[in-house]
Amino acid sequence: MANHTDPIRSRLAGLLPDLRAFARFLARDAALADDLVQEAVLRALRAESQWDPETSLRAWLFRILRNAFLEQVRRHGTERRALARMPAPDGPQPAAQEAQHAVSDLARALELLPLPQREALILVGAHGLSHEEAAAVCNVPIGTVKARVARARAALARGMVPVEQEEGAGHASA
C-alpha cells in the first residue's frame, strides 16, 4: 500500500500554495483559509487510500477543501452573515500604485460574484483546472461549470456583478 500513498505525501507539499490560494478565495480570510487547508490536508491523509491514482490529486484535494469549507459555512452561517453585514473600516489608506488599485478592485468584484460563479472562475481561471476537473471538485455537470465561468467573466467584463443568485447544482438556465 505504500506505493499507493507515497505519491500523495510526496506531492502534497507542492500543492499547498494552490490549496491555500483557493481557500483564501473561498473564506476571504487568511486565518480561516489556513485552517481550511489544514483540515483538508488532515482529511486527505486520513482518506489517502480512497484516492485513485488515475485521477487528478489536485482536483481531489480541492474537492476535500471545498467540502470542508461548505461544512464550515453551514455550521457558522449565522456568524458569517453577521460578519458580512459589518462595514469595512474607514481609515486612511497609504498611497498605492495603479496595479494595487486594480487588484483591489478585482478582489472586490470577485467577492460580489455569487459563490458558485466565483468558485468556478477561480478554479478554472486562477488555478488552471480544466472544466472537467472543476466540475469534479464542485460535484456538478461540466456544462454548469462552463456556464458559471462564462457568467462570472461576463459580469466582470461589464464591471458589474449580477444581483440574482446562481441556480443550484442543476442545469444552468440561459
Side-chain angles (χ1 to χ4, degrees), residues 112-115 117 151 158 161-167 173-174:
L112 294 174
L113 287 171
L115 178 61
Q117 289 180 13
R151 285 189 192 115
R158 285 191 312 268
V161 178
V163 177
E164 67 199 65
Q165 287 297 317
E166 169 99 14
E167 78 288 338
S173 59

Side-chain angles (χ1 to χ4, degrees), residues 81-143:
R81 283 190 296 276
L83 289 175
R85 282 187 242 118
M86 292 180 60
D90 292 332
Q93 293 184 346
Q97 297 177 350
E98 191 69 27
Q100 288 174 322
H101 286 295
V103 169
S104 181
D105 290 344
L106 176 61
R108 278 191 294 276
L110 284 170
E111 285 184 25
L112 294 174
L113 287 171
L115 178 61
Q117 289 180 13
R118 181 175 68 241
E119 180 179 59
L121 184 64
I122 296 305
L123 288 171
V124 172
H127 290 290
L129 267 64
S130 69
H131 287 99
E132 183 177 273
E133 289 174 319
V137 169
C138 297
N139 197 28
V140 297
I142 194 168

Side-chain angles (χ1 to χ4, degrees), residues 23-148:
R24 292 220 31 192
F25 273 103
L26 290 174
R28 293 182 244 163
D29 178 90
L32 290 175
D34 289 341
D35 290 345
L36 278 172
V37 170
Q38 181 178 7
E39 178 65 21
V41 168
L42 288 173
R43 288 181 185 190
L45 291 174
R46 276 188 233 126
E48 63 189 343
S49 64
Q50 296 175 16
W51 175 63
D52 178 4
E54 301 293 320
T55 63
S56 169
L57 176 60
R58 188 174 183 213
W60 185 69
L61 290 168
F62 274 33
R63 186 169 187 173
I64 292 171
L65 187 136
R66 178 180 181 266
N67 288 341
F69 171 73
L70 293 175
E71 282 180 22
Q72 184 182 68
V73 167
R74 283 190 292 270
R75 274 189 309 231
H76 303 296
T78 304
E79 178 184 328
R80 292 183 59 76
R81 283 190 296 276
L83 289 175
R85 282 187 242 118
M86 292 180 60
D90 292 332
Q93 293 184 346
Q97 297 177 350
E98 191 69 27
Q100 288 174 322
H101 286 295
V103 169
S104 181
D105 290 344
L106 176 61
R108 278 191 294 276
L110 284 170
E111 285 184 25
L112 294 174
L113 287 171
L115 178 61
Q117 289 180 13
R118 181 175 68 241
E119 180 179 59
L121 184 64
I122 296 305
L123 288 171
V124 172
H127 290 290
L129 267 64
S130 69
H131 287 99
E132 183 177 273
E133 289 174 319
V137 169
C138 297
N139 197 28
V140 297
I142 194 168
T144 301
V145 170
K146 288 180 180 182
R148 289 175 180 176

